[in-house]
């Protein structure tokens, strides 16, 4: 049984649909991310759940209760904003205690729950500090403690890590997921960061132009995208055009540049032209006479944990990433072969959603 249910949720501003007919079920204790580019409707969806924006149509049910018309302070939802929204004149402990005081929780219980929340986020030693005396990661954890101390049935996270630098963001992803699993609070996060959504979530809801285009676990959202939009937005990919020569016994013969490959094909053939996706890390560089495709190295970049190659091939431009196992054998101007393992190439829907 779903804990949070969105039924045909729609929000219109004039003639424009910010969110259109969004239906989603989230289980108790699940961590779900709304992922998409700016303007896709993810933040509007979060604001409707929080009660800050009134839906044009549809219902929001939490634990079976219809909360669509309830005011924000009647929903009991914990929220962590992108800006953290801490009170600068209050200490860490006072910021965390604020929600309990508004709910008139007894003083002794307030002290106990604040101490527990600060210990959970490992800030119990900084309870008398002010926000200006904290790092970005520490302020983020104070905001998280303040949201969790009221023991909300649902936690909403609005781009919670976007103000942090790359290294701190990565560390906070690990901490945030560990805390959520320890507490078990049902969590919905809004983000445009693909790696953040993939690393934190039980399921990812990919949105574009106000609509949900794929709901999946992180692995399948990355490895088995529904269409060209999901394929290109959820991580880097090579989108290539192929030509179907024939389809027989569920297999298609597809020409890709100067190479012909055989692939399972169960769709309807509306055109001989088809869109293919190959992730850069699924490709290998070989000697020029050993590849599926022939190409030439245009660019080589060293990115620390991997090398990024840009290859001009008969099928078009290809991005190839190779793990950093030491100096590479290929440099700019080299003639190379490009290979891939069976199953690395995926056929996509012809039309992208964006």
């Amino acid at each position: 049984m779903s804990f949070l249910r969105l039924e045909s949720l729609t929000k219109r501003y004039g003639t424009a649909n910010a969110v259109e007919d969004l239906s989603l079920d989230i289980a108790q204790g699940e961590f779900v991310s709304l992922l998409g580019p700016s303007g896709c409707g993810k933040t509007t969806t979060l604001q409707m759940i929080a009660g800050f924006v009134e839906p044009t149509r549809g219902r929001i049910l939490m634990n079976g209760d219809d909360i669509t018309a309830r005011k924000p302070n009647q929903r009991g939802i914990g929220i962590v904003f992108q800006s953290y929204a801490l009170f600068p004149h209050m200490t860490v402990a006072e910021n965390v205690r604020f929600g309990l005081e508004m709910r008139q929780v007894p003083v002794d219980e307030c002290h106990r729950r604040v101490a527990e929340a600060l210990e959970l986020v490992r800030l119990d030693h900084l309870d008398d500090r002010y926000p200006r005396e904290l790092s970005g990661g520490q302020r983020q954890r104070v905001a998280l403690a303040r949201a969790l101390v009221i023991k909300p049935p649902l936690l909403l996270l609005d781009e919670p890590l976007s103000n942090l630098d790359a290294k701190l963001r990565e560390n906070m992803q690990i901490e945030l997921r560990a805390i959520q699993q320890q507490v078990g609070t049902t969590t919905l996060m809004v983000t445009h960061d693909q790696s953040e959504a993939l690393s934190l979530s039980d399921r990812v809801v990919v949105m574009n132009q106000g609509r949900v285009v794929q709901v999946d676990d992180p692995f399948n959202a990355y490895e088995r995208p529904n269409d060209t939009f999901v394929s290109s937005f959820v991580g880097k990919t090579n989108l290539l055009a192929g030509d179907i020569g024939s389809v027989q016994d569920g297999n298609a013969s597809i020409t890709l540049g100067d190479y012909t490959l055989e692939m399972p094909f169960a769709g309807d053939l509306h055109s001989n032209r088809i869109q293919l996706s190959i992730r850069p890390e699924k490709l290998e560089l070989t000697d020029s006479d050993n590849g599926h495709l022939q190409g030439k190295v245009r660019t080589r970049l060293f990115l620390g944990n991997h090398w990024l190659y840009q290859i001009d091939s008969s099928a078009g431009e290809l991005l190839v990433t190779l793990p950093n196992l030491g100096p590479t054998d290929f440099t700019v101007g080299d003639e190379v072969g490009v290979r891939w393992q069976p199953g690395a190439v995926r056929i996509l829907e012809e039309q992208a959603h964006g």
Side-chain angles (χ1 to χ4, degrees), residues 258-306:
D258 54 13
Y259 180 72
T260 300
L261 65 158
E262 300 291 327
M263 289 186 63
F265 183 77
D268 295 325
L269 188 58
H270 302 294
S271 167
N272 288 338
R273 199 73 163 165
I274 199 164
Q275 192 86 51
L276 303 172
S277 171
I278 313 175
R279 297 289 186 188
E281 70 274 14
K282 307 289 187 182
L283 297 174
E284 305 169 8
L285 295 183
T286 69
D287 295 333
S288 58
D289 55 351
N290 288 328
H292 293 136
L293 293 172
Q294 308 303 309
K296 185 176 183 178
V297 178
R298 184 200 302 178
T299 307
R300 183 184 72 163
L301 299 176
F302 178 59
L303 299 178
N305 63 348
H306 69 274

Side-chain angles (χ1 to χ4, degrees), residues 213-322:
V213 291
Q214 185 164 348
V215 180
D216 229 320
D217 65 75
F219 182 83
N220 281 322
Y222 184 84
E223 292 287 340
R224 302 180 182 91
N226 282 349
D227 57 28
T228 53
F229 171 77
V230 178
S231 181
S232 58
F233 187 80
V234 182
K236 292 184 175 69
T237 196
N238 294 292
L239 295 176
L240 304 172
D243 291 303
I244 296 182
S246 62
V247 178
Q248 188 174 4
D249 298 327
N251 287 308
S253 176
I254 302 173
T255 300
L256 182 63
D258 54 13
Y259 180 72
T260 300
L261 65 158
E262 300 291 327
M263 289 186 63
F265 183 77
D268 295 325
L269 188 58
H270 302 294
S271 167
N272 288 338
R273 199 73 163 165
I274 199 164
Q275 192 86 51
L276 303 172
S277 171
I278 313 175
R279 297 289 186 188
E281 70 274 14
K282 307 289 187 182
L283 297 174
E284 305 169 8
L285 295 183
T286 69
D287 295 333
S288 58
D289 55 351
N290 288 328
H292 293 136
L293 293 172
Q294 308 303 309
K296 185 176 183 178
V297 178
R298 184 200 302 178
T299 307
R300 183 184 72 163
L301 299 176
F302 178 59
L303 299 178
N305 63 348
H306 69 274
W307 294 87
L308 175 64
Y309 285 86
Q310 188 178 38
I311 308 295
D312 290 324
S313 79
S314 58
E317 178 187 301
L318 293 171
L319 292 179
V320 180
T321 58
L322 301 178

Side-chain angles (χ1 to χ4, degrees), residues 20 22-24 205-208 210-215 353:
E20 187 172 356
L22 190 157
S23 294
L24 179 67
V205 179
V206 186
M207 296 183 66
N208 189 34
R211 289 182 171 273
V212 171
V213 291
Q214 185 164 348
V215 180
H353 287 271

Side-chain angles (χ1 to χ4, degrees), residues 3-78:
F3 176 76
L4 178 67
R5 169 168 288 184
L6 310 181
E7 294 182 351
S8 301
L9 207 57
T10 298
K11 181 60 183 178
R12 295 192 184 95
Y13 293 101
T15 59
N17 281 343
V19 177
E20 187 172 356
D21 201 29
L22 190 157
S23 294
L24 179 67
D25 287 313
I26 298 177
Q28 177 79 54
E30 194 174 17
F31 194 123
V32 174
S33 290
L34 301 180
L35 174 65
S38 297
C40 73
K42 58 187 187 296
T43 298
T44 302
T45 301
L46 190 91
Q47 291 174 337
M48 285 191 284
I49 297 169
F52 301 142
V53 171
E54 182 181 355
T56 303
R57 180 170 58 85
R59 294 200 305 163
I60 303 166
L61 293 93
M62 189 166 62
N63 205 20
D65 294 331
D66 189 338
I67 64 169
T68 313
R70 289 185 191 171
K71 296 179 180 179
N73 61 355
Q74 297 174 333
R75 302 189 184 201
I77 295 173

Side-chain angles (χ1 to χ4, degrees), residues 66-141:
D66 189 338
I67 64 169
T68 313
R70 289 185 191 171
K71 296 179 180 179
N73 61 355
Q74 297 174 333
R75 302 189 184 201
I77 295 173
I79 306 173
V80 177
F81 297 100
Q82 181 178 353
S83 63
Y84 313 142
L86 300 178
F87 297 113
H89 62 286
M90 292 184 180
T91 65
V92 166
E94 289 168 344
N95 265 283
V96 176
R97 189 183 304 123
F98 181 77
L100 297 175
E101 292 175 341
M102 292 297 100
R103 288 164 174 78
Q104 299 181 334
V105 175
V107 174
D108 288 346
E109 186 178 350
C110 270
H111 286 304
R112 178 181 60 80
R113 286 168 64 173
V114 168
E116 290 174 351
L118 289 178
E119 184 178 0
L120 179 67
V121 298
R122 297 187 294 110
L123 288 177
D124 46 316
H125 62 298
L126 299 178
D127 59 343
D128 59 348
R129 297 279 183 92
Y130 288 91
R132 64 178 178 274
E133 300 174 299
L134 304 177
S135 68
Q138 288 169 338
R139 288 195 294 270
Q140 196 271 349
R141 281 186 277 161

